Amino acid sequence: MASEKAPERWDIFCVVVDNYGDIGVTWRLAKQLSAEQSIAITLWVDDLNSFSHILPALDPNLLSQVHFGVTINRWSEPLAVTYQPGNVLIEAFACELPEQVKSQLILMQQAFKLDSNAAKPPLWLNLEYLSAESWVEGCHGLPSMQPSGLKKYFYFPGFTAKTGGLICENTLFEKRDAWQREPQNRLDLFSSLGLSGIEIGDKVVSVFSYESSALLALCETWQNSEQTIHALFPKGRSLNSLQSILPCSVDTLTAGMQIKLGNLIIHILPMTDQEGYDKLLWSCDFNIVRGEDSFLRAQWAAKPFIWHIYAQEDDYHLIKLDAFMQLYCNNLPPALAKSWKALNLAFNNEEQELTTSHWQKLNLIDLPLLHHAKQWPIDAINDVDLVSRLVQFVKNS
């Protein structure tokens, strides 16, 4: 979708949470705004060390640097780099803006009230977390009057036309399809990651989850599967669940290691950048993912997946999970929809026996399941991605 000329300069502030979750979404947003909308983006990040894990070229010691056309500034208290207000200011996921930034906005607001020729304060947006819940439509785009007299708008990503849309680069599906058409691409990727022994016809599962006894149960089931299953794990929280079946401590695992447990072969992955992670998801037969960025990229990969949603008080996360599953399964055959939803729910409830039972019923080569996984991204993007909707929202505001 072609967009009209967007505002020239935007600032995005991000607090790194859970190592890669919030920064993963924010970094994709910043790159796409810069590349596709020609907006000068300044991204302020409080933890450059964690950020560097998904952007290896980043130097955590620098106060300011440019990557992919995006200026990345270290967010310190007080700011070591001067904030110069642009056209738009985005706080990612309700992070609290620095006091000096809020003070500047208030001064600009007061000056503009006295003189309409003075510079207007930037449009202030709070980018919210992605949810499939129905209430999102009613809250998307609503303003919140601050005590200072400034307005802050709430921007909700979502799966319907009345929400803020989903992050998806213009050429992503085209690149994915080209990648998946050539089976050798996945073998070359695995080789580049230091993985060996994976043949073209082997079943490969990627795992990026939180700790879960259900994951341990799945791995024990995979040990006794009829065919070899390769499970690809980055070194992180998922592996903590497997300590009882690992021959060594999780701390001693290193990238490239292989652990053979019956017909299960566990491979330890090196960290990769976002483009590399996309290709990994494209190359696996099934993906277990967590958080928001990985959750959405698993959908764009057009492969079956389990979403390990972040647990919240009073089991509110299960409401969010159910809202998404209802949407995702809308066009699946009823029996298949029931099976896929049951697997996701059992995994998130850490119900070991149910998880393994539903996994065994789920046929990974089931054509309706694979067809649905391929069609879903086309339906979900709803013709307009988040960045295009966001630019239009700014223009209309």
Coordinates of all heavy atoms in Angstrom, one line a residue, residues 207-250:
V207 N 12.5 -24.3 19.3 CA 11.9 -24.1 20.6 C 12.5 -22.8 21.2 O 13.7 -22.6 21.5 CB 12.2 -25.2 21.6 CG1 11.5 -25.0 22.9 CG2 11.8 -26.6 21.0
F208 N 11.6 -21.8 21.5 CA 12.0 -20.6 22.1 C 10.8 -20.3 23.1 O 9.9 -19.5 22.8 CB 12.2 -19.4 21.1 CG 12.6 -18.1 21.8 CD1 13.7 -18.0 22.6 CD2 11.9 -17.0 21.5 CE1 14.1 -16.8 23.2 CE2 12.2 -15.7 22.1 CZ 13.3 -15.7 22.9
S209 N 10.9 -20.9 24.3 CA 9.7 -20.8 25.2 C 10.3 -20.4 26.6 O 11.5 -20.2 26.8 CB 9.1 -22.2 25.3 OG 9.9 -23.1 26.0
Y210 N 9.3 -20.2 27.5 CA 9.7 -20.1 28.9 C 9.9 -21.5 29.5 O 9.6 -22.5 28.8 CB 8.6 -19.3 29.7 CG 8.3 -17.9 29.1 CD1 7.1 -17.7 28.4 CD2 9.2 -16.9 29.2 CE1 6.8 -16.5 27.8 CE2 8.9 -15.6 28.6 CZ 7.7 -15.4 27.9 OH 7.4 -14.2 27.4
E211 N 10.3 -21.5 30.8 CA 10.3 -22.8 31.4 C 9.0 -23.5 31.4 O 7.9 -22.8 31.6 CB 10.8 -22.7 32.9 CG 12.3 -22.2 33.0 CD 12.4 -20.7 33.0 OE1 11.4 -20.0 32.7 OE2 13.5 -20.2 33.3
S212 N 8.9 -24.8 31.2 CA 7.6 -25.5 31.2 C 7.8 -27.0 31.4 O 8.6 -27.6 30.6 CB 6.9 -25.3 29.9 OG 5.8 -26.1 29.7
S213 N 7.1 -27.6 32.3 CA 7.1 -29.0 32.4 C 6.5 -29.7 31.2 O 6.8 -30.9 30.9 CB 6.4 -29.5 33.7 OG 5.1 -29.0 33.7
A214 N 5.6 -29.0 30.5 CA 5.0 -29.6 29.3 C 6.1 -29.8 28.2 O 6.0 -30.7 27.4 CB 3.9 -28.7 28.8
L215 N 7.1 -28.9 28.2 CA 8.1 -29.0 27.2 C 9.0 -30.2 27.5 O 9.4 -31.0 26.6 CB 9.0 -27.7 27.3 CG 10.2 -27.7 26.3 CD1 9.8 -27.9 24.9 CD2 11.1 -26.5 26.5
L216 N 9.2 -30.5 28.8 CA 10.0 -31.7 29.2 C 9.2 -32.9 28.7 O 9.8 -33.9 28.2 CB 10.2 -31.7 30.7 CG 10.8 -33.0 31.3 CD1 12.1 -33.3 30.7 CD2 10.8 -32.9 32.8
A217 N 7.9 -32.9 28.9 CA 7.1 -34.0 28.5 C 7.1 -34.3 27.0 O 7.2 -35.4 26.5 CB 5.6 -33.8 29.0
L218 N 7.1 -33.2 26.2 CA 7.2 -33.3 24.8 C 8.5 -33.9 24.4 O 8.6 -34.8 23.5 CB 7.0 -31.9 24.1 CG 5.6 -31.4 23.8 CD1 5.7 -30.1 23.1 CD2 4.8 -32.4 23.0
C219 N 9.6 -33.5 25.0 CA 10.9 -34.0 24.6 C 11.0 -35.5 25.0 O 11.6 -36.3 24.2 CB 12.0 -33.2 25.4 SG 12.3 -31.6 24.7
E220 N 10.4 -35.9 26.1 CA 10.4 -37.3 26.4 C 9.6 -38.1 25.4 O 10.0 -39.3 25.1 CB 9.9 -37.5 27.9 CG 10.8 -36.9 28.9 CD 10.2 -36.9 30.3 OE1 9.0 -36.9 30.5 OE2 11.0 -36.9 31.3
T221 N 8.5 -37.5 24.9 CA 7.8 -38.2 23.9 C 8.5 -38.3 22.6 O 8.5 -39.3 21.9 CB 6.5 -37.4 23.6 OG1 5.7 -37.4 24.8 CG2 5.7 -38.0 22.5
W222 N 9.3 -37.2 22.2 CA 10.0 -37.2 21.0 C 11.2 -38.2 21.0 O 11.6 -38.8 20.0 CB 10.6 -35.8 20.8 CG 9.6 -34.8 20.5 CD1 8.3 -35.0 20.1 CD2 9.7 -33.3 20.6 NE1 7.6 -33.8 20.0 CE2 8.5 -32.8 20.3 CE3 10.8 -32.5 21.0 CZ2 8.3 -31.4 20.3 CZ3 10.6 -31.1 21.0 CH2 9.3 -30.6 20.6
Q223 N 11.7 -38.5 22.2 CA 12.7 -39.6 22.3 C 12.2 -40.9 21.8 O 13.0 -41.7 21.3 CB 13.1 -39.7 23.8 CG 13.9 -38.6 24.4 CD 14.3 -38.8 25.8 OE1 15.0 -39.8 26.1 NE2 13.8 -38.0 26.7
N224 N 10.9 -41.1 21.9 CA 10.3 -42.4 21.5 C 9.6 -42.3 20.2 O 8.8 -43.2 19.9 CB 9.4 -42.9 22.7 CG 10.2 -43.1 24.0 OD1 11.2 -43.8 24.0 ND2 9.7 -42.6 25.0
S225 N 9.8 -41.3 19.5 CA 9.0 -41.1 18.2 C 9.5 -42.1 17.2 O 10.6 -42.7 17.3 CB 9.2 -39.7 17.7 OG 10.6 -39.5 17.3
E226 N 8.7 -42.4 16.2 CA 9.1 -43.4 15.2 C 10.2 -42.8 14.3 O 11.0 -43.6 13.7 CB 7.9 -43.7 14.3 CG 6.8 -44.5 15.1 CD 5.6 -44.8 14.2 OE1 5.6 -44.5 13.0 OE2 4.7 -45.5 14.7
Q227 N 10.3 -41.5 14.1 CA 11.4 -41.0 13.3 C 12.2 -40.0 14.1 O 11.7 -39.5 15.1 CB 10.8 -40.3 12.0 CG 9.9 -39.1 12.3 CD 9.4 -38.4 11.1 OE1 8.3 -38.0 11.0 NE2 10.3 -38.1 10.2
T228 N 13.3 -39.7 13.6 CA 14.2 -38.7 14.3 C 13.6 -37.3 14.3 O 13.1 -36.9 13.3 CB 15.6 -38.7 13.7 OG1 16.2 -40.0 13.8 CG2 16.5 -37.7 14.4
I229 N 13.6 -36.7 15.5 CA 13.2 -35.3 15.6 C 14.3 -34.5 16.1 O 15.0 -34.8 17.1 CB 12.0 -35.1 16.6 CG1 10.7 -35.8 16.0 CG2 11.7 -33.7 16.8 CD1 9.5 -35.7 16.8
H230 N 14.6 -33.4 15.3 CA 15.7 -32.5 15.7 C 15.0 -31.3 16.4 O 14.2 -30.6 15.8 CB 16.5 -32.0 14.5 CG 17.2 -33.1 13.8 ND1 18.5 -33.5 14.1 CD2 16.8 -33.9 12.8 CE1 18.8 -34.5 13.3 NE2 17.8 -34.8 12.5
A231 N 15.4 -31.0 17.6 CA 14.9 -29.9 18.4 C 16.0 -28.8 18.5 O 17.0 -29.1 19.1 CB 14.4 -30.3 19.7
L232 N 15.7 -27.6 18.0 CA 16.7 -26.6 18.0 C 16.4 -25.6 19.1 O 15.4 -24.9 19.2 CB 16.7 -25.9 16.7 CG 16.6 -26.8 15.4 CD1 16.8 -25.9 14.2 CD2 17.7 -27.8 15.4
F233 N 17.3 -25.4 20.1 CA 17.2 -24.6 21.2 C 18.3 -23.5 21.3 O 19.5 -23.9 21.3 CB 17.3 -25.4 22.5 CG 16.2 -26.3 22.9 CD1 16.0 -27.5 22.3 CD2 15.3 -25.9 23.9 CE1 15.0 -28.4 22.6 CE2 14.2 -26.8 24.3 CZ 14.1 -28.0 23.6
P234 N 17.9 -22.3 21.4 CA 18.9 -21.3 21.8 C 19.2 -21.5 23.2 O 18.4 -22.0 24.0 CB 18.2 -19.9 21.5 CG 16.8 -20.2 21.7 CD 16.6 -21.6 21.2
K235 N 20.4 -21.1 23.7 CA 20.7 -21.2 25.1 C 19.9 -20.2 25.8 O 20.0 -19.0 25.6 CB 22.2 -21.0 25.3 CG 22.6 -21.4 26.8 CD 24.1 -21.4 26.9 CE 24.4 -21.8 28.4 NZ 25.9 -21.8 28.7
G236 N 19.0 -20.7 26.7 CA 18.2 -19.8 27.4 C 17.2 -20.5 28.3 O 17.4 -21.7 28.7
R237 N 16.0 -19.9 28.6 CA 15.1 -20.4 29.6 C 14.5 -21.7 29.2 O 14.2 -22.5 30.1 CB 14.0 -19.3 29.8 CG 14.5 -18.0 30.4 CD 13.4 -17.0 30.6 NE 12.4 -17.4 31.5 CZ 11.5 -16.6 32.0 NH1 11.3 -15.4 31.5 NH2 10.6 -17.1 32.8
S238 N 14.3 -22.0 27.9 CA 13.7 -23.3 27.6 C 14.4 -24.5 28.1 O 13.9 -25.4 28.6 CB 13.6 -23.4 26.0 OG 12.9 -22.3 25.5
L239 N 15.8 -24.4 28.1 CA 16.6 -25.5 28.4 C 16.6 -25.8 29.9 O 16.8 -26.9 30.3 CB 18.0 -25.2 28.0 CG 18.3 -25.3 26.5 CD1 19.6 -24.7 26.1 CD2 18.2 -26.7 26.0
N240 N 16.2 -24.8 30.7 CA 16.1 -25.1 32.2 C 15.1 -26.1 32.5 O 15.2 -26.8 33.5 CB 15.7 -23.8 32.9 CG 16.8 -22.7 32.8 OD1 17.9 -23.0 32.7 ND2 16.3 -21.4 32.9
S241 N 14.1 -26.3 31.6 CA 13.1 -27.3 31.8 C 13.6 -28.7 31.6 O 13.0 -29.7 32.0 CB 11.9 -27.1 30.9 OG 11.4 -25.8 31.0
L242 N 14.7 -28.8 30.9 CA 15.2 -30.2 30.5 C 16.3 -30.7 31.3 O 16.9 -31.7 30.9 CB 15.6 -30.1 29.0 CG 14.6 -29.5 28.0 CD1 15.2 -29.6 26.6 CD2 13.3 -30.1 28.1
Q243 N 16.7 -30.0 32.4 CA 17.9 -30.4 33.1 C 17.9 -31.8 33.5 O 18.9 -32.5 33.5 CB 18.0 -29.5 34.4 CG 19.3 -29.7 35.2 CD 20.6 -29.5 34.3 OE1 20.9 -28.3 34.1 NE2 21.2 -30.5 33.8
S244 N 16.7 -32.4 33.8 CA 16.6 -33.8 34.3 C 17.0 -34.8 33.2 O 17.3 -36.0 33.6 CB 15.2 -34.1 34.8 OG 14.2 -34.0 33.8
I245 N 16.9 -34.4 32.0 CA 17.3 -35.4 30.9 C 18.5 -35.0 30.2 O 19.0 -35.8 29.3 CB 16.1 -35.5 29.9 CG1 15.8 -34.2 29.2 CG2 14.9 -36.1 30.5 CD1 14.9 -34.3 28.0
L246 N 19.2 -33.9 30.6 CA 20.4 -33.5 29.9 C 21.6 -34.2 30.6 O 21.6 -34.4 31.8 CB 20.6 -32.0 30.0 CG 19.6 -31.1 29.2 CD1 19.8 -29.7 29.5 CD2 19.6 -31.4 27.7
P247 N 22.6 -34.5 29.8 CA 23.8 -35.2 30.4 C 24.8 -34.2 31.1 O 25.8 -34.7 31.7 CB 24.5 -35.8 29.2 CG 24.1 -34.9 28.1 CD 22.7 -34.4 28.4
C248 N 24.5 -32.9 31.1 CA 25.4 -32.0 31.7 C 24.5 -30.8 32.2 O 23.3 -30.7 31.9 CB 26.4 -31.5 30.7 SG 25.8 -30.7 29.2
S249 N 25.1 -29.9 32.9 CA 24.3 -28.7 33.4 C 24.0 -27.8 32.2 O 24.8 -27.7 31.2 CB 25.0 -28.0 34.5 OG 26.2 -27.3 34.0
V250 N 22.9 -27.0 32.3 CA 22.6 -26.1 31.3 C 23.7 -25.0 31.1 O 24.0 -24.6 30.0 CB 21.2 -25.4 31.6 CG1 21.0 -24.2 30.7 CG2 20.1 -26.4 31.6

